Each structure stands twice: as C-alpha cells, then as structure tokens.
Amino acid sequence: MRPIQHSLILILLFAFSACHNKEKSNSSLDLSGDWQFKKQGDSIWLSAIVPGTVQTDLYANHLISDPFYGDNEQRNKWIENENWMYRKDFFLDLSKLKQNAELIFEGLDTYATVFLNGKQIIESDNMFRSYKIEIDSFLLEGKNRLEILFESPVQKALPFYDTLPYRLPADNDRNDKQTSVFTRKAPYQYGWDWGPRYVTMGIWRPVKIQFWDDFNIIENRLYQIELTDEKALVAWIAEVYSDTETSLFCSVQLGKEVKIDRKFDLVKGINHLADTFNIEHPKRWWPNGYGRPELYVFDIQLKTKNRDFSEKKRMGFRTIKLITEKDSIGESFYFKVNGIPIYAKGANYIPQDNFLPNVDSSRYVQIIKSVKASNMNMLRVWGGGIYENDLFYDLCDENGILLWQDFMFACSLYPGDSAFIHNVKAEAIDNIKRLRDHPSLALWCGNNEINELWFNWGYQKKYSYSNKDSLNIWDDYQNLFNRLLPDLVKEWSPQIDFWESSPKIGWGHAESMSEGDSHYWGIWWGKEPFEVYAKKVPRFASEFGFQSFPQRSTLLAFADSNQMHIDSKPMHAHQKSSIGNQTIVEYMARDFPVPTDFEDFVYVSQLVQAYGLSIALEAQRRAKPYCMGSLYWQLNDCWPGISWSGLDYFGNWKALHYEAQHDFATFLISMDENSVYIVSDSLADIDANLELKLMDFNGQLLFSKNSELHLSANRSALIYTIPDEIINQFASNQVLMNAKLYVGEKLRAQNVFYFVSPKELRLSSDVKPEFKLKNGKLFVWSQNGKLIKNLYLQTNTNLSANYFDL
Ligand code: BMA
C-alpha cells in the first residue's frame, strides 16, 4: 500500500469554499485524527486514524499484511465479517455547553450506530450520506465519549438476501451470496474485474462538532438562473436557523463590486432568504481545449449584531445541454456547451483507491493534472464507485473538465422495497445538492449497464425468474431509474439533464451504433480484431477499452523481482478479468512480436493497448459529428494491478495515456486506408499547411505533398486520398507516411502511419538513439537516421511525450 502524503495543497484549494466564522463564540471542533478501535468482543483498544478504514487501521497496527501485496487479499477477507468499535474522548469546557452544537459526519461506512456519552444518536446505513445532528443535550462538561459500532456490511445484509424470493444479480460481488445490492455502499468494494474485494468499514470522511450562537447556516448558495452574452442573472438563497428574532445583514461582493447589500428580519426558527443580481457581459466557463474555464469568486457576508459569518463561493457561467434528437440515422447524443456542440474527449473514472481516505489532496491534484495534460475535457464518474469528494469537483471546475456523473448503481439489479427507496432518495438529494452548482457538472446518469443487463445478460433464464418475479424486478428498476432519480434531478438540479442508463442499448444490437451512447466490448470481451473499432463507430462512445500491464516499478509494489513473469501467483492475483492475461497475449500475437523477456512483454502490452485504442479514438473523431464523444475504459486504477487503465495506481502514464494526449489534441491528422483526414475542434476557421512525406525506414524520402488548406471550425474533413499507384510502388512493410500540420510556422499536429500491422514491419535492429539533457529538456535523436519505433524513455516522472516513433 502506498504511504499517505500530507500536503498543503488541500488547504490552498479549500480557501475558496471554507467558512470563516469571525465571531469568537462560533467555532468547530475537528474530531478527525487519533481514535481507538477494536474488534467487537475484544478487550484491547488499538490506535486508529480518522478518516480511515478498519483495514488500514489493522495494517498500521501490523495486524494484517499489506492489503495490496501478492494474494494477501484472500488472507484479509475475514475483516468484512466482523463488527468493529471505534471511540474517541474529547473535552469541553462550560462555555461550549452554553452554545448550540451540531455533530457532522461527512461519511460513515456504512452500518454505524453512534453513541455519545452512552446514548444512541445516529443509526446509519448509507455510506453516501452525510449526517448532521443536534447534540447540545448530550454533551457534558469535561470528558465526552463518542463511540461507534460498525456492523459487518456482509452479515447485516444477509437477512435481506435470504428473505427475497428471487436472486438479484451482482456478478462483481465475489461471495456466493451476493449481498452487495442491499447495501448503499461503493459497489466496487465487493470486487470488480479490475480490483480486489475490500469491504471497508469506518469513518471515511471528516467528522466535527459545529458550535454556534444566534444563527446557523443550513444552506448558502449562489446559482445561475439565466445566461446571455449581455448578462448572467444570479440567485442567492440561504436557509438560516435563528435562535432569536433579529436583523441579519447580507452582503455579496465580487471583488470591490457590491452585488447584494440588504437587511433581512429573521424570525425565530427557519428563515428562507433570497435575492438576485446581474453580472454584465459574463465571461463564459469553457471546457478544456475550447477556452478558459473562467471562474468568478464571490464574498458572501452574513452579520447579526453578535455574529459575523463569511464564505467565498465560486461560479462558472455556462449553459450545458445533452442533445438527444431523432435524426436520419437514429438518435443523436452530444453535449452543447454555451450553445456549441462539444466533442467529449476523456475516459471513465473509478475511485483512486480501495481505501478511500488514503487518497489525499495531492493525488486528486495529480490525476486531474494528468487528465488536463492529455487534452481530455470530460470524465465519466462511473456508477460502481463513489460520489467523489468536493475537491475532485473543484479541480474539474478549475481545469475545464466536464463531468458525467452516474448515480452509484452498476451491473446489478437492486431491491425496490420502501426502506431501500427511502434510503436512496436521501442519498440522491444529499449528493445532488452538494454537486449541482459545479460548472463542470454536465450530466446525471441513473446507472451503469443495468438496462443492458436486463435485456441482454440472460439473467431471466439463469435465475429462472417467474413472470411475476420479472415483472416485479423490472417495475423496481423503472421506479428507481425512470421515476425516482429523474424526478429528484428535475426538482433539485433542473438545469442538468438526466440519462437513464449507460449505455442506451447493449453492444450486440445494431441500434447501439446509431442511437444514444454505447459501450462497445466486441473488442476484448468479443475477441474481435482492433480494426473493428474503425467500423463500429457509435454516436457517443462512453466505454470501450483494452488492458495492459503497468510498468515494472508498479509491479514491484505487489510482486517480488523473482515473480516477474506472467504466470506468477501475484500476476494472477492482480488480474481480475476472467479472460485477462491470455487475452493480452492473444491480441499481442496478432499485431506485435511477443517478447519472451517479461519486461519487454510489459512494454509491448502497453503498446498493444495504445495501438488498439488509437484505432478507436481516431475513427471516432474522424466520424464527427456523427460521433460526438470518446470516453474510454478506464482512466485510472484503485490498486497496483493489470487493467484497462491508462494511468496506473501510482499515476504513471502508460503508453495509452500518451496516445490519448496525442489523439485528443485540438487538431488530429488521421488516415483511413489511403485517405487523410483532419479533425479540428477549434472554434475558428484556420488556414493551415499539410505536409505529407512518404519515407522508408532509413529516412529516405519517396514522395511528398504540401497542401494549403482552409480548415472549417469544429469539423472533420477528408483532405486527400493518396493514389494507389504511389503506394503500390513500394513494399508496404517498409514505408511510413509522416504527416504534419502547420499553422503559420507552428506545428499543430503530427502523425505517423504505417500500411501494415507493427509485427509485419521490416524494422532495422541497427538503431542508435542518442540523448542529451539541456535546460530541463531531453533531446533525443536517431544517430544514423533510422526509424526508431515506439521509443520508450523509462523515468520516474511523466514526460511531455513517450513511446513515440522517432
Ligand atoms: C464496463 C464497466 C465495468 C467493467 C468494464 C470492463 O462495462 O462498466 O463494469 O469493469 O466494463 O469489463
């Protein structure tokens, strides 16, 4: 497991949204940090860290072995079946007892009964909810004790499993009795095809007591009501609980500009306050690559005669719409941002760790930096993980990364009883309200692959559902994903569209290519050749992918140096796809030489992944506006393992992430057989020059062509078709086409094309790469002018380019 790195970045970023309570008497007591824990029934208390999980606390106490090493996952499984107690003592002086006090848990994982000084105050059953509770009457002068019982999520859900008259599928859940669907908890913790099973328990997000006098702010919100080029109409609303009848002065400022300056008369109890103001000629928030993600920072001050509260709030002005319209082909699926159709470029995001509290701010900063650097403008927060921390959304706001936000339901069917629905409703409202005002938020989506599951994965037969069972299950589905969730989105976040399920239609159906979004798994699961990606181009590719091995340093995090071979125990334990390692080998053998040396094999596995996915990415972008999005599976990893990711657990860029950076650039030169296309995501028409050079592998020029071009904005266009008679003159396995696009003097795009697959190329082994490091730049060249294919620079840092053809 990686060590936690504390960093200052969190503090800097949160300066934007933190509350500053100026009044002395208004304060909070952070209850994070040192706690104690033990297994229920044990007598000895051990030290614990909050936020944390029971697994990480056991590991820190040397009671279990590294959860990510070798096959330790199996040895650590017992933890999920036990109940665990956590406790913390804290001390209060009399002055605090005179105040109002509210205990705030941002996240309890999951079945938690909370006692304060021996009295039960919370019973929770949903990891995704936050809990706020008045505790004035429970607090004592001097020592206070907070105690929490976490019950085994697996055991706790068993009675629900046992009493339901039919089975609900949840194939990710690696227990015989698949109980995960009864518990509102991150689905991937029960196992997934890229991650281990670690069913965590604990206080996974911060906990504090808020002390207050006079008034308590329940909500303080700014949001966009209307947006035109001339003005943005902004609403300020607040929900304030007041102890007394009093006057409250509200001021909202943008820099020195006063937007609201008003007095409100508060009644005792709940008060709803509201006002509006305009921003003239607002600068728009734009996704990465389309403009700046402009953010406005407002100062909000609320004052009574005794108390002064201030908070900074950020806003980004933009309109966003999912366009799904019937057309001559089927039905469109694309996003319009500020009225402009945007080509979505990105990947599917999964939680960054099995032990979520280990993901510190520097890891969030690092991953979004990598996302932006690879020219992505959208991530899909996949439904088998979590609703992410606020910092994640803040960073996406700052970097122009649009977010497609799934609700947390994936690849399973869920119960529909009223307690479950009530729980989901509370979870959805909590999270919709928390996330709705982020300018990066582009879409709410009901679930991952559950509509597809119902119609295509054969469970009706497999689980022998009666007609009545089927009707019940489908009705529960409809109720959750076509009534409850869309209604809640309409009520609480009406400016953001809702999409029932991703994908719209399963990949076995022809319509999946002509309507809605698609998860195309004919490559990998269907074992089809990569070339099929160029034929199966959907309207919006929200999932498709291929696996690779991570680099050696990452492998060493879970295997010894003498286990560096594909059949070693840890390589199996860290490959969770049922068809994993042999599928990588199978595809490798089709298009690449299969190295016998393991380190070479790891490197080639990454080339295979990048090669395959670039066929998809280029074909999809060429097909714009028919296709308007490429989100591959998957951006990242939750542990050091072998998976579909482009970034490994430690944030290292695999060849795929470099390839994505290339293929997602604003301008892309792409070849389909002999035809050369240029894809432009630029919002301006431009004049450019395309230089094509057909060369042999010694650098000998065989044919060249220069074309002056006028490229229309936001378009893909066929520019030139190389005549057959030119290509046919040369041996196809000994030539390449080097294509460069210049705007003025500036090289804006480059691509190298081959006419046969990599393994058929007649490459010279007599290559002489040379290096020189100067002023922080690494210069690399080919000494004898011969082609060096997929040059890989092994470093401990990510570079601006790697795995490239020189
Ligand atoms: C997709 C995802 C995940 C899975 C991946 C690879 O469909 O939604 O469920 O990990 O496929 O199999």
Side-chain angles (χ1 to χ4, degrees):
M1 220 161 53
R2 56 203 264 169
I4 306 176
Q5 294 160 3
H6 293 287
S7 106
L8 275 179
I9 299 163
L10 178 69
I11 302 155
L12 295 177
L13 283 157
F14 272 135
F16 282 108
S17 54
C19 300
H20 310 286
N21 297 305
K22 290 182 183 159
E23 174 68 15
K24 282 192 288 304
S25 61
N26 195 63
S27 60
S28 65
L29 176 66
D30 186 1
L31 294 177
S32 304
D34 292 333
W35 282 58
Q36 290 186 309
F37 85 115
K38 65 170 188 168
K39 198 167 89 189
Q40 192 184 30
D42 280 0
S43 48
I44 301 179
W45 288 90
L46 302 160
S47 61
I49 293 288
V50 167
T53 67
V54 66
Q55 284 84 354
T56 42
D57 288 330
L58 288 166
Y59 182 53
N61 281 279
H62 309 290
L63 292 172
I64 60 168
S65 39
D66 181 346
F68 289 165
Y69 200 82
D71 56 359
N72 289 346
E73 177 192 353
Q74 298 314 322
R75 275 182 278 282
N76 293 335
K77 191 168 181 297
W78 61 273
I79 305 164
E80 66 178 43
N81 289 309
E82 300 291 341
N83 297 337
W84 300 88
M85 307 282 304
Y86 277 73
R87 75 174 184 195
K88 183 179 182 78
D89 293 340
F90 57 94
F91 295 84
L92 296 176
D93 58 34
L94 196 58
S95 68
K96 287 279 173 268
L97 297 193
K98 291 185 185 147
Q99 292 190 279
N100 299 295
E102 197 173 49
L103 179 62
I104 303 171
F105 283 103
E106 287 181 31
L108 285 165
D109 177 14
T110 288
Y111 294 106
T113 314
V114 182
F115 301 90
L116 179 57
N117 296 324
K119 308 228 171 58
Q120 183 180 321
I121 52 168
I122 296 174
E123 199 173 0
S124 82
D125 59 356
N126 190 330
M127 166 183 185
F128 303 125
R129 291 181 61 185
S130 56
Y131 295 87
K132 273 189 182 181
I133 181 152
E134 252 180 61
I135 52 167
D136 326 0
S137 56
F138 299 99
L139 291 175
L140 304 173
E141 190 184 352
K143 184 170 131 178
N144 288 267
R145 174 164 287 180
L146 201 51
E147 212 162 355
I148 308 179
L149 167 67
F150 289 99
E151 288 175 274
S152 156
V154 177
Q155 298 303 326
K156 194 80 180 169
L158 263 183
F160 297 105
Y161 177 95
D162 286 334
T163 49
L164 200 73
Y166 42 78
R167 275 190 77 169
L168 291 174
D171 278 353
N172 64 298
D173 185 332
R174 295 203 189 107
N175 268 7
D176 286 343
K177 293 191 170 185
Q178 296 168 328
T179 58
S180 57
V181 294
F182 299 96
T183 302
R184 292 310 297 149
K185 178 168 176 56
Y188 80 106
Q189 297 187 341
Y190 292 82
W192 215 270
D193 58 3
W194 34 258
R197 178 183 174 104
Y198 274 112
V199 184
T200 58
M201 279 167 262
I203 305 162
W204 75 289
R205 280 181 166 156
V207 48
K208 66 175 180 188
I209 301 176
Q210 186 72 47
F211 295 99
W212 60 275
D213 287 312
D214 280 16
F215 64 88
N216 192 20
I217 314 264
I218 298 160
E219 184 174 30
N220 180 31
R221 178 178 181 218
L222 288 177
Y223 65 95
Q224 167 189 315
I225 305 180
E226 250 174 56
L227 182 63
T228 63
D229 287 344
E230 287 68 46
K231 66 166 202 199
L233 176 60
V234 179
W236 167 73
I237 58 164
E239 189 176 337
V240 178
Y241 182 90
S242 180
D243 249 1
T244 51
E245 276 183 19
T246 184
S247 299
L248 178 113
F249 297 88
C250 165
S251 106
V252 177
Q253 278 186 229
L254 176 64
K256 294 217 157 61
E257 226 180 295
V258 178
K259 292 295 179 188
I260 298 178
D261 187 15
R262 229 184 112 171
K263 186 182 108 178
F264 293 89
D265 293 323
L266 299 186
V267 297
K268 190 169 155 56
I270 293 282
N271 294 267
H272 290 278
L273 317 177
D275 206 341
T276 57
F277 59 86
N278 288 327
I279 300 288
E280 310 297 329
H281 303 290
K283 290 187 187 147
R284 300 279 174 128
W285 182 95
W286 285 102
N288 187 27
Y290 286 87
R292 283 169 54 86
E294 205 69 55
L295 292 172
Y296 286 72
V297 183
F298 295 89
D299 274 303
I300 305 179
Q301 295 224 351
L302 302 175
K303 283 184 193 169
T304 58
K305 60 180 185 307
N306 298 324
R307 219 190 119 195
D308 185 351
F309 165 90
S310 75
E311 187 174 10
K312 284 194 198 298
K313 289 259 178 209
R314 296 196 307 194
M315 289 189 77
F317 297 110
R318 53 97 185 92
T319 58
I320 185 144
K321 201 89 208 98
L322 172 67
I323 310 294
T324 54
E325 285 168 350
K326 295 259 177 276
D327 55 22
S328 60
I329 315 153
E331 194 179 284
S332 72
F333 188 106
Y334 67 94
F335 293 90
K336 258 191 184 171
V337 179
N338 296 324
I340 307 277
I342 295 288
Y343 193 98
K345 297 180 277 196
N348 286 269
Y349 171 88
I350 62 163
Q352 292 178 60
D353 211 296
N354 283 91
F355 307 110
L356 292 160
N358 277 1
V359 188
D360 62 11
S361 54
S362 66
R363 287 169 71 181
Y364 281 104
V365 170
Q366 167 76 21
I367 201 166
I368 299 302
K369 197 173 156 202
S370 289
V371 167
K372 185 179 183 187
S374 63
N375 297 312
M376 294 185 179
N377 59 24
M378 182 179 273
L379 294 177
R380 170 169 172 246
V381 182
W382 168 76
I386 56 165
Y387 308 93
E388 264 297 343
N389 289 357
D390 294 341
L391 176 60
F392 175 83
Y393 300 90
D394 287 341
L395 289 165
C396 290
D397 291 347
E398 287 163 25
N399 289 287
I401 308 302
L402 294 164
L403 292 172
W404 163 325
Q405 176 70 51
D406 283 359
F407 286 94
M408 293 303 128
F409 300 91
C411 305
S412 311
L413 287 165
Y414 291 84
D417 59 274
S418 58
F420 185 83
I421 291 296
H422 180 79
N423 198 1
V424 169
K425 185 174 175 182
E427 157 195 331
I429 294 173
D430 260 16
N431 287 288
I432 295 171
K433 287 175 83 174
R434 182 166 68 89
L435 307 181
R436 62 185 164 182
D437 294 327
H438 285 278
S440 53
L441 184 65
L443 183 69
W444 292 106
C445 173
N447 68 66
N448 177 71
E449 295 185 349
I450 306 185
N451 183 297
E452 169 172 0
L453 172 157
W454 181 249
F455 290 108
N456 301 288
W457 295 4
Y459 284 109
Q460 282 93 331
K461 217 161 157 197
K462 196 167 155 197
Y463 288 174
S464 316
Y465 292 146
S466 66
N467 270 348
K468 188 165 155 274
D469 295 345
S470 281
L471 286 173
N472 264 344
I473 294 171
W474 186 237
D475 193 49
D476 287 346
Y477 176 93
Q478 292 285 356
N479 187 37
L480 197 50
F481 301 112
N482 278 321
R483 286 190 282 272
L484 181 75
L485 293 175
D487 285 354
L488 291 174
V489 168
K490 212 176 272 165
E491 183 177 352
W492 297 100
S493 177
Q495 290 170 344
I496 303 295
D497 290 304
F498 177 86
W499 183 247
E500 171 202 322
S501 182
S502 180
K504 179 171 187 196
I505 299 166
W507 63 268
H509 300 268
E511 298 79 14
S512 68
M513 292 294 128
S514 54
E515 289 175 34
D517 70 321
S518 130
H519 295 186
Y520 193 72
W521 285 103
I523 287 116
W524 183 264
W525 290 110
K527 300 282 176 89
E528 292 168 352
F530 286 133
E531 289 67 38
V532 172
Y533 275 139
K535 300 195 186 88
K536 298 273 189 173
V537 175
R539 308 305 300 270
F540 189 107
S542 45
E543 274 189 24
F544 55 100
F546 194 84
Q547 286 202 354
S548 71
F549 280 64
Q551 66 189 45
R552 184 182 166 89
S553 60
T554 300
L555 296 169
L556 282 170
F558 64 83
D560 278 350
S561 49
N562 62 11
Q563 293 168 318
M564 291 291 144
H565 54 92
I566 187 170
D567 280 323
S568 72
K569 237 183 170 182
M571 295 305 156
H572 281 289
H574 286 243
Q575 167 57 269
K576 299 295 187 183
S577 168
S578 54
I579 59 165
N581 294 346
Q582 71 276 18
T583 303
I584 298 178
V585 178
E586 194 179 317
Y587 274 79
M588 193 183 286
R590 290 181 196 171
D591 289 322
F592 284 79
V594 182
T596 43
D597 174 76
F598 183 65
E599 210 162 327
D600 290 345
F601 173 82
V602 167
Y603 154 75
V604 177
S605 82
Q606 293 199 19
L607 299 185
V608 175
Q609 182 190 32
Y611 169 80
L613 261 67
S614 77
I615 295 175
L617 297 176
E618 289 197 16
Q620 291 161 8
R621 286 195 66 189
R622 278 198 307 266
K624 169 180 161 172
Y626 174 94
C627 175
M628 283 299 283
S630 305
L631 307 180
Y632 60 78
W633 186 266
Q634 64 201 71
L635 178 75
N636 59 318
D637 275 331
C638 65
W639 77 330
I642 304 150
S643 82
W644 294 265
S645 74
L647 297 173
D648 75 21
Y649 174 68
F650 297 99
N652 299 305
W653 291 25
K654 293 181 176 176
L656 169 60
H657 203 79
Y658 287 101
E659 184 67 46
Q661 178 181 48
H662 173 268
D663 296 350
F664 283 153
T666 299
F667 297 100
L668 172 74
I669 313 170
S670 179
M671 269 184 84
D672 183 21
E673 307 209 322
N674 291 5
S675 302
V676 183
Y677 288 76
I678 296 182
V679 184
S680 165
D681 286 344
S682 161
L683 296 185
D685 290 0
I686 55 152
D687 292 320
N689 186 282
L690 176 70
E691 178 192 284
L692 297 174
K693 285 184 175 171
L694 190 72
M695 304 162 105
D696 69 17
F697 298 163
N698 297 315
Q700 187 81 36
L701 185 64
L702 307 171
F703 162 83
S704 73
K705 184 170 172 60
N706 263 293
S707 325
E708 298 292 334
L709 307 171
H710 180 77
L711 297 175
S712 302
N714 218 3
R715 281 272 281 281
S716 161
L718 171 61
I719 302 291
Y720 176 66
T721 300
I722 310 164
D724 276 345
E725 51 283 15
I726 292 179
I727 295 186
N728 292 344
Q729 287 175 42
F730 308 104
S732 58
N733 58 356
Q734 291 173 41
V735 292
L736 61 82
M737 177 70 81
N738 191 11
K740 293 180 176 180
L741 182 75
Y742 289 93
V743 177
E745 297 285 282
K746 207 165 168 213
L747 180 65
R748 292 301 304 265
Q750 179 178 12
N751 219 342
V752 184
F753 303 99
Y754 301 87
F755 299 89
V756 294
S757 80
K759 81 166 178 191
E760 293 168 89
L761 296 174
R762 288 264 306 274
L763 297 169
S764 166
S765 54
D766 171 32
V767 290
K768 294 197 173 70
E770 292 289 336
F771 309 90
K772 190 167 74 186
L773 190 62
K774 203 178 161 192
N775 302 335
K777 286 187 178 174
L778 183 65
F779 293 83
V780 190
W781 68 97
S782 169
Q783 180 74 58
N784 58 8
K786 289 190 179 175
L787 169 72
I788 304 174
K789 185 117 184 47
N790 299 113
L791 181 83
Y792 170 40
L793 300 157
Q794 203 171 33
T795 64
N796 54 6
T797 177
N798 298 321
L799 302 170
S800 57
N802 211 342
Y803 301 91
F804 52 85
D805 295 352
L806 184 70

